[in-house]
Amino acid sequence: MPFSLHSHSGQFCEHATGNLEEIIQEAIKKKFLIYGLSEHCPRYRAQDLYPEESHLQPSDLSMTFSKFVIEARHLQEKYKSHIKLIVGLETENITDSTTTEMLDLISKYKLEYIVGSVHHVHETPIDFDEKTFEIALSKSSSSSFVSHDDDYSYSPEESLFLSYFDSQYQMLQHLKPIVVGHFDVIRIYRPKFLLTNLIWQKIERNIDFIINYGGLFEINSAGFKYFTDAYPLRDILKLIIQKGGKFTISDDSHGPLKVDKKEVKAEKGNLSSGVFF
């Protein structure tokens, strides 16, 4: 069954292209049966705007998200005989108030699902571009982590990865998203970084938590732009399978031409999809 639960449009996202209806039409053309509309949630502080949003104010993002939901509901009805559209959002986890902001949005707009993602560490974007990633890396410190070995020193990369998976765990605890987006996107600018034992411990903790509450791990084909694997990394994927985790599939499209890009197909015996909307 062709489906994707993670998408963006240039109409409501500065780093995407095309309008929402064009994306839906492309999904119909490619015979998708289910397509998730999951624009980014608004951010509420000026310092959290991306460089591409320098001409905007946080209030503009809130207005844009409201317009997205209105348009998504309109298109959901317009194309209901052609495709099942589900309307949600992709989360953030930037500050301690983020959880409340997400829950308020879900309630206000009666959203059908969320894609639980983390895009910031130390209140700094880690997957927008390499420049902002390096800023987040420069803020990394081993002071937040305790080692039983007094001689052990955390590298900035290890510290950043640890902070990422801790932030993800916090988001998972608070929101319990049905879809967990690009589980290990922190690898984006450090694809050859070897995951340490402590990082693996946090990865396993997060995997166990997701499985326990019934979340779906997103196999996100956008990873192919940077790696030989999708998100998550193949070794992480194997661990999820060993533990009995369930998957969903997403193209994380950012425009009509990217719908179904690097399509990932579920093969019997390899993927256990748990998505039925």
Side-chain angles (χ1 to χ4, degrees):
M1 181 173 66
F3 60 87
S4 175
L5 299 183
H6 188 169
S7 67
H8 304 280
S9 71
Q11 188 174 355
F12 303 109
C13 173
E14 292 288 325
H15 58 270
T17 60
N19 64 46
L20 192 59
E21 186 164 16
E22 289 173 332
I23 289 181
I24 292 167
Q25 290 171 342
E26 187 67 19
I28 293 170
K29 178 181 176 182
K30 292 187 174 177
K31 302 187 185 305
F32 277 76
L33 300 181
I34 299 173
Y35 207 74
L37 309 178
S38 59
E39 293 293 0
H40 290 287
C41 64
R43 280 152 280 117
Y44 297 94
R45 305 185 309 170
Q47 60 263 46
D48 296 328
L49 298 180
Y50 291 122
E52 65 187 17
E53 298 166 333
S54 60
H55 60 295
L56 301 174
Q57 297 296 323
S59 59
D60 296 318
L61 301 189
S62 295
M63 186 178 300
T64 295
F65 188 81
S66 180
K67 290 179 179 178
F68 154 67
V69 176
I70 292 170
E71 178 69 356
R73 294 298 185 197
H74 165 68
L75 296 173
Q76 190 179 43
E77 178 66 20
K78 179 177 179 178
Y79 289 101
K80 65 181 181 181
S81 63
H82 301 279
I83 192 170
K84 185 172 183 62
L85 299 173
I86 54 176
V87 182
L89 63 75
E90 185 177 11
T91 72
E92 300 284 2
N93 193 39
I94 304 174
T95 69
D96 291 339
S97 65
T98 300
T99 297
T100 301
E101 294 163 359
M102 295 299 100
L103 293 174
D104 287 347
L105 285 169
I106 295 164
S107 174
K108 177 179 179 180
Y109 294 106
K110 297 179 173 57
L111 300 176
E112 293 152 13
Y113 81 114
I114 61 173
V115 177
S117 300
V118 174
H119 302 97
H120 295 70
V121 179
H122 309 312
E123 302 185 13
T124 305
I126 48 86
D127 67 336
F128 179 76
D129 59 21
E130 192 161 6
K131 180 179 179 180
T132 52
F133 177 90
E134 292 293 342
I135 293 172
L137 189 64
S138 71
K139 295 179 179 180
S140 295
S141 167
S142 63
S143 61
S144 300
F145 305 101
V146 178
S147 171
H148 296 296
D149 183 353
D150 292 337
D151 295 328
Y152 185 80
S153 178
Y154 296 95
S155 69
E157 285 83 1
E158 183 176 17
S159 180
L160 185 65
F161 274 59
L162 291 170
S163 294
Y164 169 82
F165 285 109
D166 278 347
S167 180
Q168 183 183 67
Y169 187 57
Q170 181 185 50
M171 178 274 296
L172 294 170
Q173 288 179 304
H174 291 158
L175 299 178
K176 295 183 175 62
I178 186 63
V179 178
V180 180
H182 40 60
F183 182 88
D184 54 344
V185 72
I186 188 65
R187 297 188 299 116
I188 187 169
Y189 296 114
R190 288 296 185 276
K192 296 182 180 180
F193 176 70
L194 296 178
L195 303 178
T196 64
N197 288 337
L198 185 53
I199 294 172
W200 273 108
Q201 289 173 24
K202 292 181 182 291
I203 288 172
E204 186 167 10
R205 173 201 61 192
N206 293 9
I207 289 172
D208 288 340
F209 188 82
I210 295 164
I211 291 173
N212 286 338
Y213 78 75
L216 302 175
F217 295 86
E218 174 191 71
I219 296 181
N220 184 319
S221 62
F224 286 121
K225 293 189 296 184
Y226 309 98
F227 318 111
T228 56
D229 294 339
Y231 299 115
L233 179 72
R234 193 163 309 193
D235 287 345
I236 296 176
L237 187 65
K238 289 178 180 177
L239 181 60
I240 296 169
I241 293 172
Q242 290 171 7
K243 288 178 170 288
K246 293 186 177 181
F247 300 91
T248 187
I249 301 171
S250 297
D251 54 25
D252 199 355
S253 66
H254 280 65
L257 296 179
K258 297 181 180 179
V259 172
D260 204 25
K261 186 83 170 181
K262 282 286 188 181
E263 183 179 10
V264 181
K265 294 185 181 295
E267 298 179 5
K268 187 175 180 181
N270 290 334
L271 298 181
S272 148
S273 176
V275 58
F276 294 98
F277 287 97

mmCIF file of all heavy atoms in Angstrom, residues 171-210:
data_model
loop_
_atom_site.group_PDB
_atom_site.id
_atom_site.type_symbol
_atom_site.label_atom_id
_atom_site.label_comp_id
_atom_site.label_asym_id
_atom_site.label_seq_id
_atom_site.Cartn_x
_atom_site.Cartn_y
_atom_site.Cartn_z
ATOM 1 N N MET A 171 11.227 14.577 24.259
ATOM 2 C CA MET A 171 10.098 14.776 23.354
ATOM 3 C C MET A 171 9.204 13.539 23.333
ATOM 4 O O MET A 171 7.969 13.641 23.383
ATOM 5 C CB MET A 171 10.626 15.092 21.943
ATOM 6 C CG MET A 171 9.561 15.287 20.874
ATOM 7 S SD MET A 171 9.022 13.739 20.083
ATOM 8 C CE MET A 171 10.523 13.205 19.268
ATOM 9 N N LEU A 172 9.797 12.360 23.292
ATOM 10 C CA LEU A 172 9.032 11.117 23.256
ATOM 11 C C LEU A 172 8.188 10.954 24.517
ATOM 12 O O LEU A 172 7.010 10.580 24.454
ATOM 13 C CB LEU A 172 9.979 9.923 23.117
ATOM 14 C CG LEU A 172 10.762 9.811 21.810
ATOM 15 C CD1 LEU A 172 11.833 8.740 21.921
ATOM 16 C CD2 LEU A 172 9.838 9.537 20.633
ATOM 17 N N GLN A 173 8.775 11.254 25.654
ATOM 18 C CA GLN A 173 8.052 11.123 26.918
ATOM 19 C C GLN A 173 6.845 12.048 26.975
ATOM 20 O O GLN A 173 5.778 11.657 27.457
ATOM 21 C CB GLN A 173 8.993 11.419 28.083
ATOM 22 C CG GLN A 173 10.038 10.353 28.351
ATOM 23 C CD GLN A 173 10.947 10.737 29.504
ATOM 24 O OE1 GLN A 173 11.568 11.804 29.483
ATOM 25 N NE2 GLN A 173 11.008 9.903 30.522
ATOM 26 N N HIS A 174 7.015 13.258 26.498
ATOM 27 C CA HIS A 174 5.967 14.261 26.628
ATOM 28 C C HIS A 174 4.867 14.123 25.578
ATOM 29 O O HIS A 174 3.687 14.385 25.866
ATOM 30 C CB HIS A 174 6.562 15.659 26.533
ATOM 31 C CG HIS A 174 7.408 16.015 27.710
ATOM 32 N ND1 HIS A 174 8.380 16.998 27.661
ATOM 33 C CD2 HIS A 174 7.455 15.519 28.971
ATOM 34 C CE1 HIS A 174 8.972 17.096 28.846
ATOM 35 N NE2 HIS A 174 8.431 16.204 29.644
ATOM 36 N N LEU A 175 5.232 13.719 24.354
ATOM 37 C CA LEU A 175 4.273 13.746 23.249
ATOM 38 C C LEU A 175 3.846 12.362 22.764
ATOM 39 O O LEU A 175 2.779 12.234 22.155
ATOM 40 C CB LEU A 175 4.857 14.539 22.073
ATOM 41 C CG LEU A 175 5.177 16.009 22.348
ATOM 42 C CD1 LEU A 175 5.802 16.654 21.117
ATOM 43 C CD2 LEU A 175 3.926 16.776 22.767
ATOM 44 N N LYS A 176 4.691 11.357 22.955
ATOM 45 C CA LYS A 176 4.393 10.001 22.466
ATOM 46 C C LYS A 176 3.873 10.047 21.021
ATOM 47 O O LYS A 176 2.753 9.589 20.733
ATOM 48 C CB LYS A 176 3.406 9.287 23.383
ATOM 49 C CG LYS A 176 3.939 9.021 24.778
ATOM 50 C CD LYS A 176 2.950 8.238 25.622
ATOM 51 C CE LYS A 176 3.538 7.867 26.975
ATOM 52 N NZ LYS A 176 3.900 9.029 27.800
ATOM 53 N N PRO A 177 4.647 10.580 20.103
ATOM 54 C CA PRO A 177 4.182 10.722 18.713
ATOM 55 C C PRO A 177 3.945 9.371 18.052
ATOM 56 O O PRO A 177 4.721 8.429 18.260
ATOM 57 C CB PRO A 177 5.331 11.471 18.035
ATOM 58 C CG PRO A 177 6.540 11.096 18.840
ATOM 59 C CD PRO A 177 6.049 11.011 20.263
ATOM 60 N N ILE A 178 2.889 9.272 17.262
ATOM 61 C CA ILE A 178 2.615 8.024 16.560
ATOM 62 C C ILE A 178 3.719 7.726 15.546
ATOM 63 O O ILE A 178 4.058 6.580 15.279
ATOM 64 C CB ILE A 178 1.230 8.060 15.880
ATOM 65 C CG1 ILE A 178 0.886 6.698 15.285
ATOM 66 C CG2 ILE A 178 1.146 9.132 14.820
ATOM 67 C CD1 ILE A 178 0.765 5.583 16.290
ATOM 68 N N VAL A 179 4.301 8.787 14.958
ATOM 69 C CA VAL A 179 5.413 8.627 14.008
ATOM 70 C C VAL A 179 6.643 9.318 14.591
ATOM 71 O O VAL A 179 6.572 10.492 14.968
ATOM 72 C CB VAL A 179 5.077 9.241 12.631
ATOM 73 C CG1 VAL A 179 6.274 9.111 11.694
ATOM 74 C CG2 VAL A 179 3.847 8.581 12.032
ATOM 75 N N VAL A 180 7.764 8.616 14.652
ATOM 76 C CA VAL A 180 9.022 9.205 15.115
ATOM 77 C C VAL A 180 9.856 9.544 13.891
ATOM 78 O O VAL A 180 10.285 8.657 13.155
ATOM 79 C CB VAL A 180 9.780 8.240 16.050
ATOM 80 C CG1 VAL A 180 11.091 8.878 16.517
ATOM 81 C CG2 VAL A 180 8.910 7.872 17.256
ATOM 82 N N GLY A 181 10.035 10.833 13.650
ATOM 83 C CA GLY A 181 10.678 11.291 12.427
ATOM 84 C C GLY A 181 12.193 11.200 12.458
ATOM 85 O O GLY A 181 12.816 11.383 13.496
ATOM 86 N N HIS A 182 12.773 10.883 11.292
ATOM 87 C CA HIS A 182 14.229 10.769 11.083
ATOM 88 C C HIS A 182 14.989 10.583 12.412
ATOM 89 O O HIS A 182 15.671 11.491 12.898
ATOM 90 C CB HIS A 182 14.795 11.940 10.281
ATOM 91 C CG HIS A 182 14.259 13.300 10.591
ATOM 92 N ND1 HIS A 182 14.343 13.898 11.826
ATOM 93 C CD2 HIS A 182 13.646 14.205 9.791
ATOM 94 C CE1 HIS A 182 13.829 15.091 11.786
ATOM 95 N NE2 HIS A 182 13.392 15.311 10.551
ATOM 96 N N PHE A 183 14.878 9.390 12.940
ATOM 97 C CA PHE A 183 15.347 9.028 14.282
ATOM 98 C C PHE A 183 16.756 9.532 14.580
ATOM 99 O O PHE A 183 17.040 10.028 15.660
ATOM 100 C CB PHE A 183 15.290 7.499 14.430
ATOM 101 C CG PHE A 183 15.701 6.979 15.773
ATOM 102 C CD1 PHE A 183 14.773 6.847 16.796
ATOM 103 C CD2 PHE A 183 17.015 6.599 16.014
ATOM 104 C CE1 PHE A 183 15.142 6.360 18.045
ATOM 105 C CE2 PHE A 183 17.401 6.110 17.247
ATOM 106 C CZ PHE A 183 16.462 5.987 18.273
ATOM 107 N N ASP A 184 17.658 9.418 13.615
ATOM 108 C CA ASP A 184 19.069 9.747 13.853
ATOM 109 C C ASP A 184 19.563 10.839 12.912
ATOM 110 O O ASP A 184 20.689 10.777 12.403
ATOM 111 C CB ASP A 184 19.946 8.500 13.717
ATOM 112 C CG ASP A 184 19.752 7.780 12.385
ATOM 113 O OD1 ASP A 184 18.752 8.049 11.680
ATOM 114 O OD2 ASP A 184 20.600 6.933 12.034
ATOM 115 N N VAL A 185 18.745 11.876 12.717
ATOM 116 C CA VAL A 185 19.123 12.965 11.811
ATOM 117 C C VAL A 185 20.385 13.684 12.286
ATOM 118 O O VAL A 185 21.059 14.368 11.496
ATOM 119 C CB VAL A 185 17.955 13.960 11.657
ATOM 120 C CG1 VAL A 185 17.764 14.785 12.906
ATOM 121 C CG2 VAL A 185 18.139 14.853 10.433
ATOM 122 N N ILE A 186 20.756 13.530 13.535
ATOM 123 C CA ILE A 186 21.981 14.137 14.069
ATOM 124 C C ILE A 186 23.212 13.692 13.284
ATOM 125 O O ILE A 186 24.244 14.368 13.286
ATOM 126 C CB ILE A 186 22.140 13.794 15.576
ATOM 127 C CG1 ILE A 186 23.289 14.559 16.211
ATOM 128 C CG2 ILE A 186 22.301 12.282 15.766
ATOM 129 C CD1 ILE A 186 23.112 16.042 16.261
ATOM 130 N N ARG A 187 23.126 12.597 12.547
ATOM 131 C CA ARG A 187 24.265 12.103 11.756
ATOM 132 C C ARG A 187 24.520 12.927 10.504
ATOM 133 O O ARG A 187 25.540 12.746 9.830
ATOM 134 C CB ARG A 187 24.022 10.657 11.311
ATOM 135 C CG ARG A 187 23.909 9.637 12.418
ATOM 136 C CD ARG A 187 23.860 8.218 11.849
ATOM 137 N NE ARG A 187 22.726 8.003 10.973
ATOM 138 C CZ ARG A 187 22.807 7.735 9.672
ATOM 139 N NH1 ARG A 187 23.973 7.673 9.062
ATOM 140 N NH2 ARG A 187 21.713 7.528 8.957
ATOM 141 N N ILE A 188 23.606 13.849 10.178
ATOM 142 C CA ILE A 188 23.594 14.452 8.847
ATOM 143 C C ILE A 188 24.934 15.067 8.434
ATOM 144 O O ILE A 188 25.367 14.916 7.296
ATOM 145 C CB ILE A 188 22.458 15.492 8.758
ATOM 146 C CG1 ILE A 188 22.307 16.022 7.335
ATOM 147 C CG2 ILE A 188 22.647 16.627 9.756
ATOM 148 C CD1 ILE A 188 21.045 16.845 7.122
ATOM 149 N N TYR A 189 25.627 15.742 9.351
ATOM 150 C CA TYR A 189 26.909 16.359 9.010
ATOM 151 C C TYR A 189 28.103 15.644 9.647
ATOM 152 O O TYR A 189 29.224 16.152 9.580
ATOM 153 C CB TYR A 189 26.903 17.842 9.384
ATOM 154 C CG TYR A 189 25.887 18.618 8.587
ATOM 155 C CD1 TYR A 189 24.776 19.191 9.196
ATOM 156 C CD2 TYR A 189 26.014 18.753 7.200
ATOM 157 C CE1 TYR A 189 23.834 19.878 8.452
ATOM 158 C CE2 TYR A 189 25.075 19.432 6.453
ATOM 159 C CZ TYR A 189 23.980 19.993 7.078
ATOM 160 O OH TYR A 189 23.042 20.670 6.336
ATOM 161 N N ARG A 190 27.843 14.502 10.235
ATOM 162 C CA ARG A 190 28.907 13.643 10.755
ATOM 163 C C ARG A 190 28.594 12.189 10.402
ATOM 164 O O ARG A 190 28.491 11.324 11.277
ATOM 165 C CB ARG A 190 29.061 13.803 12.274
ATOM 166 C CG ARG A 190 29.687 15.114 12.726
ATOM 167 C CD ARG A 190 31.117 15.262 12.253
ATOM 168 N NE ARG A 190 31.756 16.461 12.783
ATOM 169 C CZ ARG A 190 31.644 17.673 12.247
ATOM 170 N NH1 ARG A 190 30.912 17.846 11.156
ATOM 171 N NH2 ARG A 190 32.255 18.708 12.775
ATOM 172 N N PRO A 191 28.469 11.893 9.111
ATOM 173 C CA PRO A 191 28.031 10.556 8.700
ATOM 174 C C PRO A 191 29.014 9.441 9.059
ATOM 175 O O PRO A 191 28.619 8.283 9.189
ATOM 176 C CB PRO A 191 27.885 10.676 7.180
ATOM 177 C CG PRO A 191 28.787 11.814 6.802
ATOM 178 C CD PRO A 191 28.706 12.771 7.952
ATOM 179 N N LYS A 192 30.287 9.783 9.245
ATOM 180 C CA LYS A 192 31.294 8.753 9.544
ATOM 181 C C LYS A 192 31.621 8.662 11.026
ATOM 182 O O LYS A 192 32.477 7.863 11.426
ATOM 183 C CB LYS A 192 32.569 9.035 8.740
ATOM 184 C CG LYS A 192 32.361 8.938 7.226
ATOM 185 C CD LYS A 192 33.653 9.174 6.467
ATOM 186 C CE LYS A 192 33.427 9.072 4.959
ATOM 187 N NZ LYS A 192 34.690 9.308 4.194
ATOM 188 N N PHE A 193 30.934 9.476 11.843
ATOM 189 C CA PHE A 193 31.189 9.428 13.280
ATOM 190 C C PHE A 193 30.742 8.085 13.841
ATOM 191 O O PHE A 193 29.606 7.651 13.630
ATOM 192 C CB PHE A 193 30.458 10.568 13.979
ATOM 193 C CG PHE A 193 30.585 10.537 15.479
ATOM 194 C CD1 PHE A 193 31.796 10.822 16.091
ATOM 195 C CD2 PHE A 193 29.496 10.195 16.269
ATOM 196 C CE1 PHE A 193 31.918 10.785 17.475
ATOM 197 C CE2 PHE A 193 29.606 10.169 17.647
ATOM 198 C CZ PHE A 193 30.823 10.460 18.249
ATOM 199 N N LEU A 194 31.631 7.419 14.548
ATOM 200 C CA LEU A 194 31.321 6.117 15.125
ATOM 201 C C LEU A 194 30.572 6.292 16.443
ATOM 202 O O LEU A 194 31.061 6.966 17.352
ATOM 203 C CB LEU A 194 32.608 5.314 15.347
ATOM 204 C CG LEU A 194 33.386 4.933 14.085
ATOM 205 C CD1 LEU A 194 34.662 4.179 14.453
ATOM 206 C CD2 LEU A 194 32.520 4.091 13.149
ATOM 207 N N LEU A 195 29.411 5.688 16.535
ATOM 208 C CA LEU A 195 28.594 5.798 17.736
ATOM 209 C C LEU A 195 29.264 5.060 18.891
ATOM 210 O O LEU A 195 29.615 3.888 18.769
ATOM 211 C CB LEU A 195 27.198 5.219 17.478
ATOM 212 C CG LEU A 195 26.427 5.842 16.309
ATOM 213 C CD1 LEU A 195 25.080 5.150 16.132
ATOM 214 C CD2 LEU A 195 26.234 7.337 16.524
ATOM 215 N N THR A 196 29.432 5.749 20.004
ATOM 216 C CA THR A 196 30.086 5.162 21.171
ATOM 217 C C THR A 196 29.091 4.311 21.960
ATOM 218 O O THR A 196 27.881 4.348 21.736
ATOM 219 C CB THR A 196 30.645 6.263 22.087
ATOM 220 O OG1 THR A 196 29.540 7.038 22.594
ATOM 221 C CG2 THR A 196 31.595 7.179 21.323
ATOM 222 N N ASN A 197 29.611 3.567 22.912
ATOM 223 C CA ASN A 197 28.747 2.712 23.725
ATOM 224 C C ASN A 197 27.677 3.513 24.458
ATOM 225 O O ASN A 197 26.527 3.077 24.569
ATOM 226 C CB ASN A 197 29.590 1.919 24.731
ATOM 227 C CG ASN A 197 30.412 0.817 24.075
ATOM 228 O OD1 ASN A 197 30.055 0.351 22.986
ATOM 229 N ND2 ASN A 197 31.491 0.412 24.718
ATOM 230 N N LEU A 198 28.062 4.684 24.977
ATOM 231 C CA LEU A 198 27.097 5.497 25.716
ATOM 232 C C LEU A 198 25.994 6.014 24.788
ATOM 233 O O LEU A 198 24.816 6.051 25.166
ATOM 234 C CB LEU A 198 27.800 6.659 26.409
ATOM 235 C CG LEU A 198 26.922 7.536 27.323
ATOM 236 C CD1 LEU A 198 26.180 6.677 28.350
ATOM 237 C CD2 LEU A 198 27.769 8.585 28.035
ATOM 238 N N ILE A 199 26.363 6.387 23.574
ATOM 239 C CA ILE A 199 25.352 6.814 22.607
ATOM 240 C C ILE A 199 24.413 5.656 22.288
ATOM 241 O O ILE A 199 23.184 5.821 22.249
ATOM 242 C CB ILE A 199 26.013 7.346 21.322
ATOM 243 C CG1 ILE A 199 26.791 8.632 21.610
ATOM 244 C CG2 ILE A 199 24.957 7.607 20.236
ATOM 245 C CD1 ILE A 199 27.621 9.131 20.450
ATOM 246 N N TRP A 200 24.963 4.469 22.108
ATOM 247 C CA TRP A 200 24.129 3.299 21.830
ATOM 248 C C TRP A 200 23.178 3.015 22.987
ATOM 249 O O TRP A 200 22.039 2.597 22.770
ATOM 250 C CB TRP A 200 24.996 2.077 21.548
ATOM 251 C CG TRP A 200 25.384 1.965 20.098
ATOM 252 C CD1 TRP A 200 26.606 2.174 19.538
ATOM 253 C CD2 TRP A 200 24.510 1.626 19.015
ATOM 254 N NE1 TRP A 200 26.554 1.990 18.174
ATOM 255 C CE2 TRP A 200 25.281 1.648 17.828
ATOM 256 C CE3 TRP A 200 23.156 1.303 18.931
ATOM 257 C CZ2 TRP A 200 24.732 1.357 16.579
ATOM 258 C CZ3 TRP A 200 22.605 1.011 17.678
ATOM 259 C CH2 TRP A 200 23.399 1.046 16.523
ATOM 260 N N GLN A 201 23.622 3.239 24.203
ATOM 261 C CA GLN A 201 22.739 3.036 25.359
ATOM 262 C C GLN A 201 21.525 3.956 25.273
ATOM 263 O O GLN A 201 20.389 3.555 25.566
ATOM 264 C CB GLN A 201 23.503 3.278 26.660
ATOM 265 C CG GLN A 201 24.534 2.218 26.997
ATOM 266 C CD GLN A 201 25.375 2.590 28.207
ATOM 267 O OE1 GLN A 201 24.961 3.381 29.052
ATOM 268 N NE2 GLN A 201 26.574 2.038 28.281
ATOM 269 N N LYS A 202 21.765 5.203 24.892
ATOM 270 C CA LYS A 202 20.657 6.153 24.788
ATOM 271 C C LYS A 202 19.754 5.815 23.601
ATOM 272 O O LYS A 202 18.519 5.955 23.673
ATOM 273 C CB LYS A 202 21.196 7.581 24.691
ATOM 274 C CG LYS A 202 21.858 8.045 25.996
ATOM 275 C CD LYS A 202 22.379 9.460 25.908
ATOM 276 C CE LYS A 202 23.076 9.869 27.207
ATOM 277 N NZ LYS A 202 22.156 10.024 28.342
ATOM 278 N N ILE A 203 20.343 5.368 22.509
ATOM 279 C CA ILE A 203 19.555 4.928 21.359
ATOM 280 C C ILE A 203 18.648 3.767 21.750
ATOM 281 O O ILE A 203 17.443 3.760 21.447
ATOM 282 C CB ILE A 203 20.492 4.514 20.200
ATOM 283 C CG1 ILE A 203 21.133 5.756 19.574
ATOM 284 C CG2 ILE A 203 19.738 3.694 19.148
ATOM 285 C CD1 ILE A 203 22.209 5.451 18.553
ATOM 286 N N GLU A 204 19.212 2.792 22.446
ATOM 287 C CA GLU A 204 18.422 1.633 22.853
ATOM 288 C C GLU A 204 17.314 2.029 23.828
ATOM 289 O O GLU A 204 16.183 1.535 23.743
ATOM 290 C CB GLU A 204 19.323 0.569 23.477
ATOM 291 C CG GLU A 204 18.594 -0.728 23.789
ATOM 292 C CD GLU A 204 19.538 -1.877 24.106
ATOM 293 O OE1 GLU A 204 20.753 -1.633 24.262
ATOM 294 O OE2 GLU A 204 19.047 -3.020 24.189
ATOM 295 N N ARG A 205 17.626 2.932 24.756
ATOM 296 C CA ARG A 205 16.606 3.441 25.681
ATOM 297 C C ARG A 205 15.445 4.054 24.915
ATOM 298 O O ARG A 205 14.267 3.780 25.211
ATOM 299 C CB ARG A 205 17.237 4.494 26.599
ATOM 300 C CG ARG A 205 16.249 5.243 27.501
ATOM 301 C CD ARG A 205 16.823 6.555 27.982
ATOM 302 N NE ARG A 205 17.142 7.477 26.882
ATOM 303 C CZ ARG A 205 17.851 8.588 27.018
ATOM 304 N NH1 ARG A 205 18.351 8.928 28.195
ATOM 305 N NH2 ARG A 205 18.085 9.370 25.972
ATOM 306 N N ASN A 206 15.757 4.889 23.918
ATOM 307 C CA ASN A 206 14.710 5.551 23.136
ATOM 308 C C ASN A 206 13.899 4.546 22.335
ATOM 309 O O ASN A 206 12.667 4.652 22.236
ATOM 310 C CB ASN A 206 15.320 6.607 22.222
ATOM 311 C CG ASN A 206 15.923 7.773 22.982
ATOM 312 O OD1 ASN A 206 16.040 7.738 24.202
ATOM 313 N ND2 ASN A 206 16.327 8.812 22.269
ATOM 314 N N ILE A 207 14.585 3.577 21.736
ATOM 315 C CA ILE A 207 13.888 2.534 20.972
ATOM 316 C C ILE A 207 12.914 1.785 21.867
ATOM 317 O O ILE A 207 11.749 1.563 21.505
ATOM 318 C CB ILE A 207 14.908 1.572 20.341
ATOM 319 C CG1 ILE A 207 15.661 2.265 19.202
ATOM 320 C CG2 ILE A 207 14.204 0.304 19.818
ATOM 321 C CD1 ILE A 207 16.816 1.452 18.642
ATOM 322 N N ASP A 208 13.372 1.382 23.040
ATOM 323 C CA ASP A 208 12.513 0.632 23.965
ATOM 324 C C ASP A 208 11.284 1.450 24.350
ATOM 325 O O ASP A 208 10.168 0.919 24.429
ATOM 326 C CB ASP A 208 13.292 0.248 25.225
ATOM 327 C CG ASP A 208 14.320 -0.851 24.980
ATOM 328 O OD1 ASP A 208 14.182 -1.566 23.965
ATOM 329 O OD2 ASP A 208 15.249 -0.977 25.794
ATOM 330 N N PHE A 209 11.477 2.735 24.579
ATOM 331 C CA PHE A 209 10.355 3.593 24.980
ATOM 332 C C PHE A 209 9.321 3.686 23.860
ATOM 333 O O PHE A 209 8.107 3.586 24.099
ATOM 334 C CB PHE A 209 10.857 4.984 25.366
ATOM 335 C CG PHE A 209 9.795 5.857 25.955
ATOM 336 C CD1 PHE A 209 9.449 5.752 27.293
ATOM 337 C CD2 PHE A 209 9.124 6.779 25.168
ATOM 338 C CE1 PHE A 209 8.442 6.546 27.844
ATOM 339 C CE2 PHE A 209 8.119 7.583 25.695
ATOM 340 C CZ PHE A 209 7.779 7.459 27.047
ATOM 341 N N ILE A 210 9.793 3.882 22.628
ATOM 342 C CA ILE A 210 8.889 3.991 21.477
ATOM 343 C C ILE A 210 8.087 2.707 21.302
ATOM 344 O O ILE A 210 6.869 2.728 21.093
ATOM 345 C CB ILE A 210 9.683 4.321 20.200
ATOM 346 C CG1 ILE A 210 10.319 5.716 20.313
ATOM 347 C CG2 ILE A 210 8.784 4.253 18.962
ATOM 348 C CD1 ILE A 210 11.410 5.981 19.291
#
